[in-house]
Amino acid sequence: AARMFLRLLSDIQWRAAHPKWRRMTQRSTSTTAEPHPVSLPAQAQVVICGGGIMGTSVAYHLSKMGWKDIVLLEQGRLAAGTTRFCAGIVSTARPVSIELKMAHYSNNLYQQLEQETGVQTGYMKTGSISLAQTQDRLISLKRIASSLNVMGIPCEIISPKKVLQLHPLINIHDLVGAMYVPEDALVSSANVSLALATAASRNGVQIHERTSVSHVTIQKGRVTGVETDRGRIQCEFFVNCAGQWAYELGHSGEEPVHIPLHACEHFYLLTHPLKEPLSSNLPTIVDPDGRIYIRNWQGGILSGGFEKNPKPLFTEGRNQLEIQNLQEDWDHFGPLLGALLRRMPGLEALQIMQLVNCPESFTPDMRCIMGESPTARGYFVLAGMNSAGISYGGGAGKYLAEWIVNGYPSENVWPLDLKRFGTLQSSRTFLRHRVMEVMPLMCDLKVPRWDFQTGRQLRTSPLYDRLDAQGARWMEKHGFERVKYFVPPGSDLLDLDHSKTFYKPDWFDIVGAEVKCCKEAVCVIDMSSFTKFEISSTGDQALESLQYLFSNDLDVPVGHVVHTGMLNEKGGYENDCSIARLSKRSFFMISPTDQQVHCWTWLKNRLPDDSNLVMEDVTWKYTALNLIGPRAVDVLSELSYAPMTAEHFPSLFCKEMSVGYANGIRVMSITHTGEPGFVLYIPIEYALHVYNEVMNMGQKYGIRNAGYYALRSLRIEKFFAFWGQDLDAFTTPMECGREFQVKLDKGMEFLGQEALWEQKQNGVYKRFTMFILEDHDTDMDLWPWWGEPIFRNGRYVGKTTSSAYSYTLERHVCLGFVHHFDEKTGEQLVVTTDFINQGEYEIDIAGQRFQAKAKLYPFSSLFTQRRRKDEVELSGYQRE
Amino acid sequence: FYLTPPQVNSILKANEYSFKVPEFDGKNVSSVLGFDSNQLPANAPIEDRRSAATCLQTRGMLLGVFDGHAGCACAQAVSERLFYYIAVSLLPHETLLEIENAVESGRALLPILQWHKHPNDYFSKEASKLYFNSLRTYWQELIDLNSGETTDVREALINAFKRLDNDISLEAQVGDPNSFLNYLVLRVAFSGSTACVAHVDGVDLHIANTGDSRAMLGVQEEDGSWSAVNLSYDHNAQNENEVERVKMEHPKSEEKSLVKQDRLLGLLMPFRAFGDVKFKWSIELQKRVVESGPDQLNENEYTKFIPPNYHTPPYLTAEPEVIHHKLRPQDKFLVLATDGLWETMHRQDVARIVGEYLTGVHHQQPIAVGGYKVTLGQMHGLLTERRARISSVFEDQNAATHLIRHAVGNNEFGAVDHERLSKMLSLPEELARMYRDDMTIIVVQFNSHVIGAYQNEE
């Protein structure tokens, strides 16, 4: 039955399209039965594995960019995997901005593809309607609508009545509203893939079907070739577009490439046409509260969904039995069918054609996976589409092609970068459990600061149990458990854990108390998750290499800490870190938690191959306790019998000292918040001891535990940018007011220097700005999160990147980037200080605009008279 | 005294066990889907035993229930040992040689059985060496005897039963220098046990029965109703053939005293059993063993007591009656149970209750639309109905538990009555035995698809 169906969805175009590349690859026309008429080339520049939408899109874009020496291998037939069974909905309504851009690009690409290639793609601009059954759902739709609108994608929030006008079959009695995206489209996904393949093949790409890749050979950390069942191809680049088999393919070679994805069964229903066949331009319906989508299909409907109890499969790898068992499971589909009939009661009498079971692959964080392997250069991946393959296909292929050709894509794709994962997300058990959570999440309402529940407690600090017992509430980053806040004894714990809201959360006062304690006394935050590297050498190699790789001057006296960016050629932040000079020849580097793989790879690929230069990941060796607050000095000096005052221990300073009984504690006078205090890097076996000592000693100074929410509020009100939230590879220090962390004249060349020089001379095109919401009622209004559009004098100028309530200012603070778009051409112009200061600003939160005051510098005066320690320049200090 | 439903459930489910035959990559698909088993004690401790295992060196699966009397020692020993004897009897000559060589040279032994045991089903650690030696002697003899012929399952079953009983008798006569073991082997020999064992291999189902436990096949008729087919004969006074057999084996003069009050020699309910050497050994042998035995045995009135009219032993045998049945697609399940079940429930009711239970849980026969004309509304109705059926009908996940619930709790209308269940289960230990017997049940579920495929092949 499945075979019969293949033909149904793929239409007849398969055959029409086929001869085109058959001719290109010199296949004799009369030998469909003959398996391999053309032998594989012995070498190619790029080998792409997988002939689905991803593989063909990458091939298409690579060939468009002028690369010709490309071979695409497909184990079966082109577009025969998930692509064939895909529902063919191109939907741009995506919450993550980069995904939205990919989908928008895909839509435009598919629209003109038929004209370009002559292959019918079935493209039909039907529009889509996302329904809201609850007010919260409507808020989330409004947030998406805001970001679609500022990108120039038509989109409106409509009333239930309007929904009925657009789609007569819908039952609207339980709806509170909907979002209409008129330019969303339907395609035949298999044919889009074939069209892309046809175009690529015309551009010289060789396509070989029925050829399976057994493994990729890697030598000295570089791809050298591909072994197939038809022989070997030497290549420079390999692209793994093997869809749900990408994980296995990644693991097939001697050196595994970890691609964390896992397949789940996915069901959708096909019906016979209605008595009065549905029009082919009827909009697609997405009903997330009912967990279903419904599109018109050949006069009838196609409807599927994301059930609460997904069925993961292929956990142990490809398995014939599981493939055979991929059958219709009506009992499983029952709830979705119920939701469909509730939404469209008129369909009761419609006849079923088939229930299709097509596995989809999902990733641990619901975002797709692209980029280069951290362990094998030239090994690229594009997979794990979380059932949005057709929406992302065009854009994802384009970014990956740019990445291969230019070394970097034209947009910030960090949220999708393979390197956001480590080997720790590669356990099959973890993936199986996580995707069972991820698939239902496709439809679940996502409120600010939601978190995954599965695959938790993987990496923990040695203090985990202690903190947990004291009421810690946890969130997870890169597998590491971090404290959000501490629930004070006596609070209603259950209630707190279930709070989900777009408004003021119920931890508001709890975090407020923690912030107050940081301001007035002292708090301890466990920050062990931060990535920690040690780089040392026998001679000056370490200093010399780091001076080239980092923009600040690292040739500082021993014991000093330097905040610096790790920049790329364009001056953008690949990483933002603090580096302590432990000795003349060794450095201790602290970066954000999720930098563990990326930063390691970046440095590894750029450090000279010198056995006397050693880099070590010591993340696991140290527990980090951040003592924030004016009394941190007192606690620490009492515990160490050492004077800790500014004269003896200036800010941005690092010293190994004893704390309590424990020796060899690295104490640094930084807090990552702009508040006074210290971070203690404690060898893990001393962690409990030092923590206990600090808490005991701290009692008389009013010490308490605090979590990351307090830290966030503190750093955002101080206008501190965090990498991964505010900073990315497309942001330079010049654009975020950090010129003082760049030493353009440090006497030697460094990465990004040229780009920064140019920016210094010509100005920047965006500027990191702090906004204080003016007419925002913290108790009543929707809270900002991130990604809210910023309007200057009524015109869109950029988006926020993070936000927090400032307990000091008693206002919300948003951080974000302001651009200057030419009013007529939309061209980006230089952003000057005057441009920022002379505007009237508004922030759009789910369609509602709030007045905001823009600032380029933090309110130092507001925060008492204390010196702002973290940002003090170092030049005044004498060398030891 | 009243038990709440959760308390009732925890009593009923304390011993339940389920096994699902793992599926392999398209090959070696078993005709058994799995089995559910459970037991409910009336004696303290319970005298019933059960066993289940997969043969690893030959094909097939073994399942059995054992009803002990005069203590549980014999039933325990048989439950541990019988399957090994059967498995060994089925082994081809080469495998026997291989095993013997492995033992000889101290190498690791091929595993013979994979047991499927409830945590409460224990094996005696102390006796394992002794048991092993007896078993080894048996296979050594089999090696010497090498007939060169392929082993017939019926013969293997009969040989294994007889041999084990023989070994039990011999071990008791020889004794053991270890006093604990010595007492154990005597207790095993002087107590008794029935055995009802099923061997399933593809469509070939063999039932070997000794005593009054019973095997019953549940058959689904074309109209969906359930009927029962007996696959064993009870060896007791109600079985005329059996009475006839006993009478044939002894002189005419004993005819009157052989069966009294429906019992063998007026004493024993089952007419065949393991152990029970008091009905097998000569009077001299019994006296000798008891006198030389440990004090506990000597002081025991029961062991010293010689049955009346005991002239021409043996009166009892462990030789099973073997019935072979070729499984058909309509044969959906097999129930093996000790007489505790059959005393309270008619087999027809057993077939119906289990059949409805299995189809209820199992109605998950996937729905396929295929070429039928089904509308969304019809499908929705069908699915809703199926869901309702699952959630409301059964609190049991185990067919054997479900059967026990009915056997103990059924009122006159054939429905489970919670009050009755509660009363029956809260009887004090000393009273329980008056109202009910130990009950041990195994329900084996067959894979009709596989059986159908076998049939088509033939």
Side-chain angles (χ1 to χ4, degrees):
Chain A
R3 184 139 309 175
M4 191 190 80
F5 173 69
L6 294 186
R7 210 157 287 163
L8 288 174
L9 255 196
S10 76
D11 296 342
I12 335 277
Q13 278 315 310
W14 170 261
R15 289 173 202 294
H18 208 209
K20 289 188 180 115
W21 70 75
R22 186 181 286 164
R23 193 180 63 239
M24 299 306 295
T25 55
Q26 292 136 35
R27 247 190 196 178
S28 70
T29 42
S30 60
T31 51
T32 354
E34 202 175 300
H36 306 301
V38 180
S39 61
L40 292 183
Q43 63 182 57
Q45 191 175 11
V46 185
V47 173
I48 300 168
C49 172
I53 181 75
M54 293 303 148
T56 52
S57 176
V58 172
Y60 172 86
H61 286 99
L62 276 176
S63 65
K64 280 257 152 145
M65 294 180 76
W67 282 29
K68 305 290 179 195
D69 189 11
I70 299 164
V71 174
L72 187 150
L73 305 177
E74 161 58 44
Q75 60 170 350
R77 305 290 294 266
L78 277 180
T82 302
T83 300
R84 159 104 3 141
F85 292 104
C86 171
I89 299 169
V90 185
S91 150
T92 41
R94 305 282 162 187
V96 180
S97 144
I98 183 69
E99 292 179 339
L100 197 159
K101 283 177 187 160
M102 293 197 306
H104 184 48
Y105 174 86
S106 303
N107 197 353
N108 293 335
L109 173 71
Y110 301 159
Q111 188 172 9
Q112 55 81 43
L113 203 56
E114 187 165 328
Q115 202 182 7
E116 180 187 340
T117 62
V119 177
Q120 278 180 26
T121 55
Y123 185 92
M124 176 61 80
K125 201 168 267 184
T126 60
S128 77
I129 305 172
S130 302
L131 310 177
Q133 293 184 26
T134 65
Q135 287 298 339
D136 272 354
R137 176 69 69 184
L138 193 59
I139 292 168
S140 75
L141 293 178
K142 283 176 176 171
R143 292 183 58 93
I144 295 174
S146 290
S147 54
L148 283 174
N149 277 324
V150 297
M151 277 196 60
I153 302 170
C155 172
E156 55 179 321
I157 297 295
I158 57 176
S159 67
K161 267 192 186 156
K162 183 74 194 295
V163 174
L164 199 59
Q165 287 167 17
L166 290 166
H167 200 305
L169 290 172
I170 294 189
N171 165 20
I172 56 163
H173 79 268
D174 56 349
L175 299 183
V176 297
M179 176 177 71
Y180 179 44
V181 186
E183 296 197 345
D184 276 356
L186 294 178
V187 293
S188 152
S189 42
N191 290 349
V192 165
S193 209
L194 295 178
L196 292 170
T198 305
S201 151
R202 276 187 204 141
N203 281 333
V205 174
Q206 292 189 53
I207 297 172
H208 295 269
E209 295 182 297
R210 293 201 179 91
T211 307
S212 357
V213 173
S214 67
H215 65 272
V216 177
T217 53
I218 295 161
Q219 273 168 18
K220 292 185 186 152
R222 275 217 80 100
V223 165
T224 55
V226 176
E227 293 291 346
T228 77
D229 56 351
R230 295 174 55 206
R232 176 182 165 77
I233 308 176
Q234 281 189 349
C235 65
E236 211 177 318
F237 297 97
F238 174 74
V239 189
N240 181 342
C241 296
Q244 57 188 325
W245 313 121
Y247 176 94
E248 270 188 283
L249 179 57
H251 276 250
S252 62
E254 273 176 34
E255 287 183 53
V257 172
H258 300 290
I259 303 162
L261 54 82
H262 193 295
C264 279
E265 293 181 38
H266 174 61
F267 294 90
Y268 63 78
L269 169 80
L270 295 171
T271 72
H272 289 280
L274 272 74
K275 268 210 189 97
E276 198 178 314
L278 285 184
S279 143
S280 63
N281 58 15
L282 208 58
T284 299
I285 301 297
V286 181
D287 180 3
D289 299 305
R291 308 189 156 274
I292 51 167
Y293 56 83
I294 311 157
R295 59 161 277 196
N296 75 72
W297 183 75
Q298 301 195 352
I301 61 149
L302 179 162
S303 171
F306 299 96
E307 62 273 21
K308 278 189 186 151
N309 51 337
K311 294 163 74 176
L313 82 166
F314 303 130
T315 303
E316 291 160 38
R318 188 188 312 225
N319 171 331
Q320 208 50 46
L321 195 75
E322 278 188 297
I323 292 175
Q324 279 165 8
N325 283 346
L326 279 177
Q327 281 161 1
E328 51 192 327
D329 183 345
W330 281 99
D331 290 298
H332 193 73
F333 192 73
L336 299 179
L337 178 59
L340 168 66
L341 289 176
R342 258 196 313 285
R343 187 54 55 217
M344 298 190 181
L347 298 185
E348 288 242 353
L350 189 57
Q351 226 181 77
I352 295 166
M353 176 177 275
Q354 198 182 1
L355 184 64
V356 181
N357 183 352
C358 63
E360 294 272 2
S361 41
F362 294 87
T363 61
D365 59 0
M366 254 191 332
R367 304 195 298 257
C368 74
I369 298 172
M370 66 159 74
E372 193 175 14
S373 155
T375 49
R377 302 201 77 176
Y379 193 121
F380 283 83
V381 178
L382 184 56
M385 291 296 142
N386 298 291
S387 78
I390 203 70
S391 297
Y392 297 154
K398 169 173 167 260
Y399 292 141
L400 196 80
E402 290 170 351
W403 202 331
I404 295 170
V405 173
N406 302 330
Y408 47 86
S410 60
E411 289 280 349
N412 171 35
V413 296
W414 170 249
L416 316 177
D417 193 332
L418 173 62
K419 289 195 278 293
R420 72 188 185 273
F421 297 118
T423 51
L424 64 99
Q425 285 93 352
S426 199
S427 138
R428 284 316 267 175
T429 316
F430 166 78
L431 286 171
R432 183 180 171 92
H433 291 180
R434 178 55 69 80
V435 297
M436 285 173 77
E437 180 184 3
V438 160
M439 183 165 153
L441 264 177
M442 308 297 297
C443 289
D444 286 347
L445 187 69
K446 286 169 275 296
V447 297
R449 294 165 291 271
W450 61 275
D451 223 352
F452 290 105
Q453 301 302 313
T454 54
R456 295 291 296 270
Q457 294 186 334
L458 180 55
R459 301 170 74 204
T460 58
S461 145
L463 302 175
Y464 180 86
D465 281 351
R466 279 299 304 276
L467 302 179
D468 199 52
Q470 296 176 74
R473 287 291 170 273
W474 302 91
M475 59 182 184
E476 171 249 12
K477 182 91 177 211
H478 200 62
F480 212 109
E481 295 292 333
R482 313 200 294 183
V483 182
K484 294 193 279 195
Y485 51 83
F486 285 84
V487 179
S491 315
D492 191 343
L493 306 181
L494 273 180
D495 227 34
L496 266 176
D497 286 344
H498 289 119
S499 65
K500 282 188 172 175
T501 179
F502 286 98
Y503 294 89
K504 179 179 161 183
D506 41 17
W507 44 256
F508 182 80
D509 293 328
I510 295 177
V511 173
E514 289 178 6
V515 167
K516 188 162 183 275
C517 185
C518 289
K519 294 271 181 192
E520 294 172 358
V522 54
C523 279
V524 183
I525 303 182
D526 184 335
M527 310 234 310
S528 307
S529 70
F530 276 26
T531 300
K532 303 175 270 288
F533 293 165
E534 270 174 16
I535 299 152
S536 53
S537 61
T538 50
D540 286 337
Q541 302 98 318
L543 178 67
E544 277 165 19
S545 314
L546 296 184
Q547 283 286 53
Y548 173 69
L549 292 169
F550 293 88
S551 58
N552 210 337
D553 188 2
L554 291 168
D555 195 5
V556 290
V558 168
H560 282 220
V561 181
V562 177
H563 292 310
T564 177
M566 181 175 89
L567 309 182
N568 54 34
E569 287 80 356
K570 296 171 297 167
Y573 276 102
E574 290 295 331
N575 186 4
D576 182 32
C577 39
S578 308
I579 298 180
R581 190 162 193 189
L582 297 176
S583 73
K584 278 209 147 337
R585 291 170 182 148
S586 72
F587 295 84
F588 184 59
M589 172 179 168
I590 298 142
S591 354
T593 309
D594 47 1
Q595 275 280 357
Q596 201 168 15
V597 179
H598 174 66
C599 179
W600 178 267
T601 313
W602 179 270
L603 292 175
K604 206 75 201 163
N605 287 342
R606 283 166 184 80
L607 285 174
D609 195 9
D610 179 350
S611 58
N612 293 319
L613 174 64
V614 181
M615 176 168 73
E616 189 189 359
D617 183 345
V618 295
T619 304
W620 62 276
K621 283 187 180 174
Y622 292 94
T623 298
L625 289 182
N626 194 351
L627 267 64
I628 306 177
R631 310 312 297 267
V633 173
D634 304 303
V635 175
L636 215 53
S637 54
E638 280 208 47
L639 277 174
S640 59
Y641 288 96
M644 300 297 290
T645 52
E647 296 77 57
H648 297 93
F649 207 120
S651 72
L652 287 172
F653 201 68
C654 167
K655 200 152 107 184
E656 281 207 355
M657 50 195 285
S658 60
V659 177
Y661 301 154
N663 206 357
I665 313 293
R666 273 179 202 162
V667 179
M668 290 189 205
S669 42
I670 56 173
T671 60
H672 304 281
T673 57
E675 298 297 325
F678 303 89
V679 181
L680 276 50
Y681 286 91
I682 311 160
I684 50 169
E685 68 261 39
Y686 298 143
L688 196 61
H689 172 74
V690 172
Y691 176 77
N692 287 340
E693 291 289 304
V694 165
M695 292 311 273
N696 288 336
M697 188 58 74
Q699 257 178 11
K700 63 179 170 190
Y701 300 105
I703 200 166
R704 59 177 291 166
N705 289 302
Y708 270 78
Y709 284 3
L711 186 94
R712 235 176 93 80
S713 169
L714 289 169
R715 70 102 178 161
I716 286 175
E717 71 180 15
K718 282 277 170 67
F719 200 14
F720 268 40
F722 259 32
W723 193 91
Q725 289 173 50
D726 310 303
L727 307 181
D728 59 43
F730 287 79
T731 312
T732 71
M734 304 301 186
E735 292 161 349
C736 60
R738 288 189 172 184
E739 203 180 323
F740 67 91
Q741 288 184 3
V742 178
K743 295 289 177 293
L744 285 172
D745 48 1
K746 68 178 170 183
M748 64 176 292
E749 189 197 341
F750 62 88
L751 255 178
Q753 192 176 25
E754 212 168 298
L756 294 184
W757 264 120
E758 194 188 305
Q759 279 196 335
K760 192 180 166 72
Q761 276 152 8
N762 301 336
V764 294
Y765 290 89
K766 63 177 175 183
R767 191 67 209 263
F768 194 50
T769 312
M770 174 172 178
F771 295 94
I772 292 94
L773 295 190
E774 300 278 297
D775 56 348
H776 183 267
D777 185 332
T778 307
D779 292 323
M780 302 301 293
D781 286 327
L782 286 170
W783 273 32
W785 186 3
W786 53 267
E788 289 89 12
I790 303 165
F791 292 89
R792 180 186 177 276
N793 300 340
R795 292 173 54 84
Y796 169 73
V797 288
K799 281 185 180 177
T800 64
T801 51
S802 58
S803 73
Y805 180 80
S806 161
Y807 293 88
T808 320
L809 299 168
E810 296 180 331
R811 286 255 164 270
H812 254 98
V813 177
C814 298
L815 308 183
F817 285 93
V818 173
H819 301 252
H820 186 180
F821 300 110
D822 185 278
E823 294 202 13
K824 296 198 183 75
T825 61
E827 189 193 345
Q828 293 211 31
L829 304 176
V830 167
V831 179
T832 61
T833 311
D834 283 348
F835 180 79
I836 301 282
N837 290 338
Q838 289 165 4
E840 296 287 322
Y841 290 90
E842 287 172 308
I843 307 284
D844 175 329
I845 306 175
Q848 195 183 349
R849 292 191 190 179
F850 295 92
Q851 286 170 25
K853 206 159 126 193
K855 290 187 61 72
L856 284 171
Y857 300 97
F859 291 90
S860 42
S861 59
L862 259 175
F863 300 100
T864 70
Q865 279 80 20
R866 248 179 290 114
R867 261 190 322 159
R868 287 186 51 249
K869 294 191 167 190
D870 268 26
E871 298 298 320
V872 166
E873 297 277 330
L874 291 169
S875 46
Y877 294 109
Q878 296 300 313
R879 278 167 189 267
E880 282 177 40
Chain B
F1 197 70
Y2 180 79
L3 297 172
T4 62
Q7 284 172 320
V8 165
N9 280 345
S10 80
I11 295 176
L12 288 179
K13 295 181 178 193
N15 291 316
E16 70 179 16
Y17 177 82
S18 291
F19 175 76
K20 200 168 167 282
V21 174
E23 292 166 18
F24 299 101
D25 256 20
K27 53 184 176 191
N28 204 10
V29 185
S30 167
S31 56
V32 175
L33 281 172
F35 68 86
D36 292 334
S37 79
N38 197 354
Q39 32 182 213
L40 180 69
N43 292 301
I46 187 170
E47 294 181 345
D48 279 6
R49 291 295 183 267
R50 59 183 156 170
S51 293
T54 305
C55 300
L56 295 176
Q57 301 305 326
T58 54
R59 300 187 313 165
M61 194 166 180
L62 286 163
L63 305 115
V65 295
F66 311 96
D67 183 354
H69 48 263
C72 59
C74 186
Q76 173 63 32
V78 174
S79 75
E80 289 178 37
R81 305 177 67 182
L82 181 58
F83 288 6
Y84 279 114
Y85 279 74
I86 297 173
V88 163
S89 310
L90 287 167
L91 287 180
H93 186 70
E94 302 73 42
T95 318
L96 287 172
L97 273 178
E98 202 177 320
I99 290 174
E100 174 58 21
N101 287 336
V103 177
E104 189 65 37
S105 55
R107 278 186 283 118
L109 216 55
L110 288 175
I112 298 174
L113 292 174
Q114 183 197 359
W115 292 93
H116 312 299
K117 285 199 297 191
H118 186 274
N120 290 356
D121 301 341
Y122 63 94
F123 275 13
S124 152
K125 277 208 184 76
E126 296 81 4
S128 63
K129 182 85 186 135
L130 174 76
Y131 291 168
F132 177 78
N133 286 336
S134 299
L135 182 67
R136 186 179 175 194
T137 314
Y138 177 40
W139 81 53
Q140 285 170 338
E141 282 174 32
L142 287 176
I143 291 173
D144 295 341
L145 277 172
N146 179 19
S147 55
E149 289 166 27
T150 47
T151 328
D152 173 63
V153 179
R154 169 191 298 273
E155 226 170 286
L157 287 165
I158 294 174
N159 290 344
F161 272 61
K162 286 165 75 174
R163 175 68 184 210
L164 174 59
D165 193 49
N166 208 31
D167 282 354
I168 287 173
S169 163
L170 226 71
E171 284 155 8
Q173 292 173 43
V174 173
D176 194 285
N178 174 322
S179 64
F180 176 83
L181 278 183
N182 195 32
Y183 184 44
L184 178 73
V185 295
L186 286 166
R187 273 187 301 144
V188 169
F190 277 92
S191 59
S193 174
T194 72
C196 185
V197 172
H199 178 265
V200 200
D201 173 11
V203 289
D204 290 308
L205 170 64
H206 285 87
I207 302 289
N209 183 47
T210 286
D212 54 3
S213 292
R214 197 184 287 172
M216 184 212 87
L217 195 62
V219 181
Q220 187 163 33
E221 305 294 342
E222 272 175 27
D223 64 357
S225 67
W226 294 93
S227 60
V229 174
N230 270 351
L231 287 182
S232 67
Y233 302 109
D234 298 349
H235 298 139
N236 59 17
Q238 279 72 47
N239 181 343
E240 284 174 25
N241 293 337
E242 197 59 9
V243 175
E244 207 52 41
R245 174 186 68 82
V246 173
K247 287 184 176 168
M248 289 284 289
E249 289 173 358
H250 297 277
K252 194 115 180 117
S253 56
E254 291 183 43
E255 191 165 330
K256 287 238 167 66
S257 58
L258 268 176
V259 181
K260 275 187 174 171
Q261 290 154 356
D262 285 348
R263 287 167 187 250
L264 188 66
L265 297 179
L267 293 170
L268 198 60
M269 293 252 276
F271 280 25
R272 301 190 194 192
F274 281 93
D276 282 330
V277 290
K278 280 187 331 143
F279 297 85
K280 290 174 182 166
W281 288 352
S282 67
I283 295 177
E284 296 73 41
L285 181 58
Q286 291 191 40
K287 281 193 173 149
R288 200 189 76 221
V289 170
V290 170
E291 273 159 23
S292 65
D295 295 342
Q296 300 105 310
L297 197 68
N298 225 338
E299 286 155 13
N300 187 324
E301 287 303 316
Y302 173 77
T303 46
K304 276 201 291 193
F305 170 79
I306 301 292
N309 306 309
Y310 196 82
H311 307 298
T312 50
Y315 288 88
L316 195 62
T317 175
E319 177 169 340
E321 228 178 333
V322 178
I323 292 182
H324 174 226
H325 175 80
K326 279 241 181 254
L327 287 171
R328 309 155 297 169
Q330 63 266 40
D331 301 335
K332 300 295 181 187
F333 60 90
L334 172 76
V335 179
L336 300 175
T338 54
D339 59 345
L341 173 72
W342 309 113
E343 281 164 11
T344 56
M345 218 177 217
H346 192 269
R347 58 190 164 97
Q348 191 53 47
D349 292 330
V350 171
R352 183 182 52 77
I353 287 167
V354 176
E356 285 174 2
Y357 171 82
L358 291 178
T359 42
V361 169
H362 245 274
H363 66 164
Q364 316 310 15
Q365 280 297 341
I367 310 179
V369 174
Y372 300 106
K373 290 186 176 172
V374 186
T375 68
L376 294 177
Q378 287 166 341
M379 179 59 85
H380 184 54
L382 180 61
L383 294 175
T384 315
E385 194 192 311
R386 277 157 70 97
R387 264 204 307 283
R389 241 190 298 165
I390 303 181
S391 51
S392 70
V393 182
F394 298 112
E395 41 197 328
D396 294 323
Q397 276 86 53
N398 181 303
T401 310
H402 188 63
L403 201 47
I404 292 177
R405 187 187 296 278
H406 275 272
V408 178
N410 263 9
N411 59 17
E412 50 275 304
F413 308 110
V416 174
D417 177 347
H418 177 74
E419 210 167 308
R420 189 183 152 86
L421 248 181
S422 161
K423 265 188 209 149
M424 291 291 281
L425 293 178
S426 57
L427 292 172
E429 262 180 27
E430 58 282 9
L431 277 181
R433 185 63 189 87
M434 315 262 292
Y435 288 89
R436 53 191 174 85
D437 194 358
D438 290 340
M439 208 179 277
T440 298
I441 300 172
I442 299 180
V443 179
V444 187
Q445 220 188 320
F446 296 120
N447 187 340
S448 303
H449 299 292
V450 173
I451 291 170
Y454 269 111
Q455 261 189 344
N456 294 340
E457 270 172 36
E458 281 171 11

